Amino acid sequence: MPRELLKGNTAMAEAAVRAGLEAYFGYPITPQTELLEYMSKRMPELGRAFLQAESEVAAINMVYGAACTGARVMSSSSSPGVSLMMEGLSYIAGTEVPVVLIDVVRGGPGLGNIAPSQGDYNQIVHGGGHGDYHPIVLAPSTVQEAIDLTVLAFDLAEKYRAIAIVMADGNIGQMMEPAELPPMRPLRTEYPDWSTRGAEGRERRILSSIYIDPKEEEVMNYRLMQRWRTIEANELRFKEYFLEDAEYAVVGFGTAGRVALSAVRAARAEGLKVGLLRPITLSPFPYARLDELAEQVKAMLVVEMNAGQMLGDVQRATKERISLNFYGRMGGITPFPDEIHAEIHRMVEQPLPPGSDPRAAWLDSFASVLHVDGR
Amino acid sequence: MVTVEMNQIVYQRPESLADMPTHYCPGCTHGVAHRLVAEVMDEMQIREKTIGVAPVGCSVFAYNYFDCDFVEAAHGRAPAMATGVKRVLPDRVVFTYQGDGDLASIGMGEIVHAAARGENITVIFINNAIYGMTGGQMAPTTLPGMKTTSSPSGRDVEQMGFPIRMPEMLATLDGAGYVVRRSLHDPKNIRMAKKAIRLAFETQLRGLGFSLVELLSSCPTNWGLTPVESLRWIEEHMLPVYPVGDYKVAQALAGLRV
């Protein structure tokens, strides 16, 4: 396939179509809306199902129903809309049906704004719906990666009967850059042996997230957790830059990781031995690789477009062994490379003592960035 | 006088009803409603192409009692889930079975929009004027003055608003093909209810849009009445507020005899 100039949102939509998407249900919300608009034209053109739901609540429950038929289905939304979908996501997890969701994250909390953010890390990676379940979470940093991870999301969701979420941010959704789309896959003709499509010539099937006997519910939870261990063992993805001989490491995902790479390159040009670890799967998270890195480097800098939501996971991996530093931009602000470059210098020249609170130190110095009173 | 051969079967479990006891209370009309739906599925020979959607409420385990494929929805979301199934499998029969709390309170948005879209699904709506599963709280359909565990002095319409009449509301939507109310309080009304359920499924098979049958039902346990008193209570107290009737019948259905 030739490389084309593609916008992230429509590129992810077409990637999903080519991955064999059979039904799309969504609701307009900026900065994701182009994805829904693209589907509204493209899906009917191919004789596939598209429906604009009355709300995100309805959209995710339509996805839930369609997923029960064994079809490849998805929805897309942005942060406040994804918050509304959490109930449905928990039910989907409890029913063990595969679903793909694209979250084009925007600034919050509340109505927030429509600018790019990574403020959904906690609700997507650690939380959201009730009960014990883990979605697979993929974080692209380019339009090409957004395409590739969208296709991967369908394969992983089906392989593990799990939820796979592509967590992009407004930059990835809105930017245009050259990228290559995958070839069109044929739609499936056979459906899994759990799918509810009418009990023709066979025993009836029931799909439910109810296990009214707590003993059975516990067995079901155990099954989910054991499956998650398999996912952790098999599906971890991250990318490393200049880490072979690094004495300092930056950790960032998605757009923050991409901007950090420019800063790391600039620091390398100055002779600083700094590298970058960019998690691609936020869930499962590269704890083991960070654990190794903590033995290698003198200090780490975590960069996010939120107030340090991934920071807690890095802390868990590095266990106060090294100097851990943090820099975040919040509320829909994307950091510039020179800001991160300055933070790399701060890490090298004035590293925080191991075990100190990186978020508190960041907040103290951040007042001068915002030109507000730090108290 | 009617004579019956000793070896002639005159009454048995419909094939579409699973061979198992239900969890419903003695005297509750859920069992009657289940049976009517199953009889209609048998008569129309649609059991093998039907996918049911169960709600949250007393009929949360409805999926156990029908011998067809079933999925279980979140509270109020059955019409959305049914939409998802139907849009992927338009040649299958999809129905939801929902109570008044599920459909007329938490699921109001989903039911209205499914009807407005003319979603080609069938909805069996059980109205017993109370939340049964959680032990008898006020529902959107609770009658004015009616005592429940969350309206202990009776539903005060000044504070708690008025009962919602769903078929009357939904009938105003162009997407609705067949929207009616029936009652399960006596044999005559039960026979009328079965005909309505048949017509609702016929509506779906003919692609005539959204179909809904509201069934006035009893809840002896939470009403604090005997089963017989409960049926009388439907007739005396519910029928005046919720009149049995056809609120929307698509023209194409007018000549249909079932």
Side-chain angles (χ1 to χ4, degrees), chain B residues 166-181:
Chain B
M166 290 303 301
E168 288 88 331
M169 271 176 64
L170 296 175
T172 66
L173 300 168
D174 293 343
Y178 184 72
V179 176
V180 302
R181 180 181 294 113

Side-chain angles (χ1 to χ4, degrees), chain A residues 54 197 202 204-205 207, chain B residues 66 69 72 92 117:
Chain A
E54 62 270 29
R197 302 172 64 84
R202 59 158 171 79
R204 66 174 163 154
R205 292 176 187 153
L207 285 174
Chain B
F66 291 95
D69 276 8
E72 164 61 37
R92 306 299 203 282
R117 284 193 303 268

Side-chain angles (χ1 to χ4, degrees), chain A residues 1-4 6 14 18 42 144 147-148 178-185:
Chain A
M1 296 281 154
R3 275 157 66 86
E4 303 164 71
L6 296 168
E14 181 60 25
R18 295 187 184 196
R42 185 70 168 133
Q144 184 64 59
I147 291 168
D148 299 342
E180 185 183 343
L181 285 161
M184 182 74 91
R185 284 194 208 171

Side-chain angles (χ1 to χ4, degrees), chain B residues 33 36-37 40 96-98 103 111 121-127 166-167 170 178-184 189-190 192-203 210-217 245-248:
Chain B
L36 296 183
V37 173
V40 166
T96 73
Y97 187 103
Q98 303 175 257
L103 183 141
I111 195 69
I121 59 170
T122 297
V123 175
I124 308 300
F125 170 39
I126 304 296
N127 177 2
M166 290 303 301
L170 296 175
Y178 184 72
V179 176
V180 302
R181 180 181 294 113
R182 297 290 184 267
S183 178
L184 298 177
N189 277 280
I190 288 171
M192 285 166 61
K194 183 178 168 185
K195 278 192 176 184
I197 293 168
R198 174 72 188 259
L199 271 171
F201 279 102
E202 295 285 355
T203 304
F210 178 85
S211 51
L212 176 142
V213 181
E214 175 176 329
L215 299 170
L216 301 182
S217 296
D246 295 353
Y247 294 95
K248 178 81 177 277

